[in-house]
């Protein structure tokens, strides 16, 4: 019940295209859903986050869409750039444990 | 740069040994979380401390222990090391006990030979 399922495992997008990464969860106690970006040799960096009472949040080229009834959320990267090439993790936090449960990660490659 | 520091960056040791990983949270942050990142298990939560007190445990082995000191830095102790303990170990910090944003350090890469 603590799992967060993330897809796809890897993604190749052309420069200027839209990258879409999806996550699904089962635990209804999750109350906070962040996305992290990780470059090789670095720690995960917080990118954008959403709460379940909001259906969409946009920050620059990054948008989270949240579907509470379907228990799904996704990250959209508009106008993808080669500098966006990294591994992206969705995560969820439950109200009790406070710790984050991470998805398995998506390796994004943006081709110039 | 997240403001979270971790030492050492790399650690190579042998099976059966014991190591200590150190984390200094961002200035003003009272919570420290430890995570393990491996190829087969992904990012897994280990343990959470808030202002010196243990708050939650995740998939932490009995061979592992942690503590948070009065100056708020934290140490993760790994003993009786096995080959399977080779991984990246991250700490993250947040302002409070129930504040959402967690900021990750650069990690310590542990290699057990």
């Amino acid at each position: 019940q603590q799992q967060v399922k993330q897809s796809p495992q890897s993604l190749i997008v052309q420069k200027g295209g839209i990258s879409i990464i999806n996550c699904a969860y089962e635990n209804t106690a999750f109350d906070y859903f962040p996305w992290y970006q990780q470059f090789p040799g670095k720690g995960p960096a917080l990118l954008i986050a959403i709460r379940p009472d909001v259906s969409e949040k946009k920050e620059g080229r990054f948008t989270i869409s949240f579907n509470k009834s379907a228990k799904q959320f996704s990250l959209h990267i508009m106008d993808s750039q080669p500098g966006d090439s990294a591994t992206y993790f969705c995560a969820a936090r439950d109200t009790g444990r406070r710790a984050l449960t991470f998805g398995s990660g998506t390796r994004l490659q943006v081709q110039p | 740069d997240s403001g979270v520091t971790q030492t050492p960056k790399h650690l190579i040791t042998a099976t059966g040994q014991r190591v200590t990983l150190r984390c200094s949270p961002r200035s003003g942050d009272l919570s420290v979380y430890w995570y393990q990142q491996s190829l087969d298990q992904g990012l897994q939560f280990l343990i959470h401390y808030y202002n010196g007190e243990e708050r939650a445990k995740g998939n932490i082995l009995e061979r592992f222990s942690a503590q948070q000191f009065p100056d708020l830095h934290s140490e993760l102790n790994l003993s009786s090391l096995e080959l399977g303990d080779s991984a990246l170990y991250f700490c993250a910090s947040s302002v409070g006990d129930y504040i959402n944003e967690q900021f990750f350090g650069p990690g310590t890469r542990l290699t057990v030979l």
Side-chain angles (χ1 to χ4, degrees), chain A residues 31 36 38 51 93 98, chain B residues 35 37 97-98 100 102:
Chain A
D31 67 347
Y36 282 83
Q38 186 178 27
R51 294 181 185 277
R93 191 202 65 170
R98 299 165 174 81
Chain B
Y35 293 86
Q37 185 175 36
D97 187 23
Y98 202 66
N100 299 320
Q102 293 183 24

Side-chain angles (χ1 to χ4, degrees), chain A residues 4 6 23 30-37 45-52 57 64 66 73-75 88-94 98-103, chain B residues 35 100-102 104:
Chain A
V4 177
Q6 183 172 346
C23 286
F30 286 148
D31 67 347
Y32 169 72
F33 301 87
W35 284 88
Y36 282 83
Q37 178 189 56
L46 181 63
L47 199 58
I48 186 172
I50 198 168
R51 294 181 185 277
K57 183 175 181 180
I64 299 179
F66 189 86
F73 58 111
S74 60
L75 176 69
Y88 292 80
F89 292 92
C90 62
R93 191 202 65 170
D94 71 57
R98 299 165 174 81
L100 295 171
T101 299
F102 283 87
Chain B
Y35 293 86
N100 299 320
E101 290 79 8
Q102 293 183 24
F104 281 73

Side-chain angles (χ1 to χ4, degrees), chain A residues 6-93:
Chain A
Q6 183 172 346
S7 63
Q9 196 171 4
S10 63
L11 183 59
I12 299 175
V13 172
Q14 295 297 314
K15 179 182 174 182
I18 302 173
S19 304
I20 302 174
I21 304 170
N22 300 299
C23 286
Y25 64 97
E26 290 294 326
N27 187 350
T28 55
F30 286 148
D31 67 347
Y32 169 72
F33 301 87
W35 284 88
Y36 282 83
Q37 178 189 56
Q38 186 178 27
F39 292 103
K42 304 289 186 183
L46 181 63
L47 199 58
I48 186 172
I50 198 168
R51 294 181 185 277
D53 54 347
V54 176
S55 61
E56 186 175 281
K57 183 175 181 180
K58 184 175 180 179
E59 287 183 4
R61 296 184 295 109
F62 301 92
T63 300
I64 299 179
S65 297
F66 189 86
N67 186 329
K68 188 174 180 178
S69 60
K71 298 198 196 91
Q72 295 174 347
F73 58 111
S74 60
L75 176 69
H76 294 233
I77 306 174
M78 312 299 287
D79 187 26
S80 299
Q81 299 296 312
D84 297 330
S85 298
T87 300
Y88 292 80
F89 292 92
C90 62
R93 191 202 65 170

Side-chain angles (χ1 to χ4, degrees), chain B residues 61-97:
Chain B
L61 300 171
E62 284 192 16
R63 301 183 286 108
F64 296 1
S65 65
Q67 59 184 131
Q68 187 179 25
F69 295 86
D71 67 352
L72 302 175
H73 90 272
S74 178
E75 293 181 357
L76 179 67
N77 300 296
L78 315 176
S79 61
S80 303
L81 285 167
E82 302 175 359
L83 296 177
D85 298 327
S86 296
L88 270 166
Y89 291 85
F90 290 104
C91 82
S93 72
S94 66
V95 171
D97 187 23

